[in-house]
Amino acid sequence: MNARARGNNFILVVFDSCRYDSFVAARPRAMRKLGRVERRWSYASWTSPSHYNLLIGLMPHTNPKHVFASEYYKREFVKYNQRLDIDTFEFKSLVPQLYLPAFLRHHLGYRTHAMVSLPALNPQTVLNHGFDTFELMPQHNDMRAMVAKMTFSPDQPSFYVLNVGETHYPYALPHESREEWPRISGVHGVFKHLDEEIVGGRLVRRKRQFFDHTKLEELRQRQIAAVRHLDRVVEELFDLVPPNTWITITADHGELFGEDGFFGHGPVQHEKVYEVPFVEGKLR
Ligand SMILES: [Zn+2]
């Protein structure tokens, strides 16, 4: 046993692109067992900067008023004592690297693992620092395949970050064939770069070609259905984890479904691209 190893297992689940109101509309039952579902705000509008921020250790923020940012960060970092079940954690614990996986691995003796769905986060990126393993999953939308790979040791706590892709465009469940994926006539080109994660932007309204609100509503409903599906997968995760496990579930950013002429995320300045769900806790 590693003499320094101590603390809760810590699992950070990031539903890619999952809007707060999609999460709530899905009425998840399993995930609510962790605690109250909060509306929070992402620090960034797309995957890479948002995950970097999460891995610094900063969860989506509560948009607090009348407080200096430095004070807010200090308060936020103290919460790691509860998450990890330790009592010595503070902001300066992370200095100078400011990177949670490296800190957990080198200072607390954690095994650290990332399983990601979106190629923008692949193992060759700078995000892969302080991890024992870092894997881009073969399928972009299969959280169940991640859960199947997770193991826990009684001698050494584990940190897992799971970037989950079912909630990302095209909001497809793993059993669905590509032929069933949605297509929007006239605007499909905006969506074609799934691999590069460039799916955001303002849709151009041409003469006689309007935004298809019915289709966009269909997409929003697909994201809600994806959350419902993930609630069942999370329940399987709950059955798997040892008692001393803290789980945080959130999103890296939101998504636009036609509001004010926007679709997706990334180069979008809109409230809904920052609004994300946040729920965390320990099961027992
Ligand atoms: Zn993302």
Side-chain angles (χ1 to χ4, degrees), residues 190-203:
V190 179
F191 309 142
K192 70 185 175 191
H193 299 290
L194 176 66
D195 282 357
E196 292 91 18
E197 256 276 82
I198 305 167
V199 294
R202 193 179 275 269
L203 298 174

Side-chain angles (χ1 to χ4, degrees), residues 110-130:
Y110 275 65
R111 295 191 306 157
T112 54
H113 308 282
M115 285 187 257
V116 302
S117 300
L118 273 296
L121 305 175
N122 74 75
Q124 303 302 316
T125 63
V126 293
L127 296 173
N128 185 3
H129 173 70

Side-chain angles (χ1 to χ4, degrees), residues 14 16 47-56 121 127 163 252:
V14 186
D16 208 293
T47 309
S48 295
S50 185
H51 278 79
Y52 178 72
N53 216 82
L54 289 165
L55 291 172
I56 276 181
L121 305 175
L127 296 173
N163 163 255
D252 55 345

Side-chain angles (χ1 to χ4, degrees), residues 209-233:
Q209 187 187 320
F210 292 89
F211 227 24
D212 188 337
H213 285 283
T214 314
K215 284 280 184 192
L216 287 163
E217 176 56 19
E218 209 177 284
L219 295 180
R220 196 177 74 84
Q221 291 300 331
R222 284 175 65 87
Q223 186 173 65
I224 294 168
V227 175
R228 247 179 244 132
H229 160 80
L230 289 169
D231 194 46
R232 293 190 288 275
V233 182

Side-chain angles (χ1 to χ4, degrees), residues 130-141:
F131 283 101
D132 291 306
T133 67
F134 194 116
E135 185 185 358
L136 175 63
M137 299 300 285
Q139 221 183 314
H140 90 276
N141 58 344

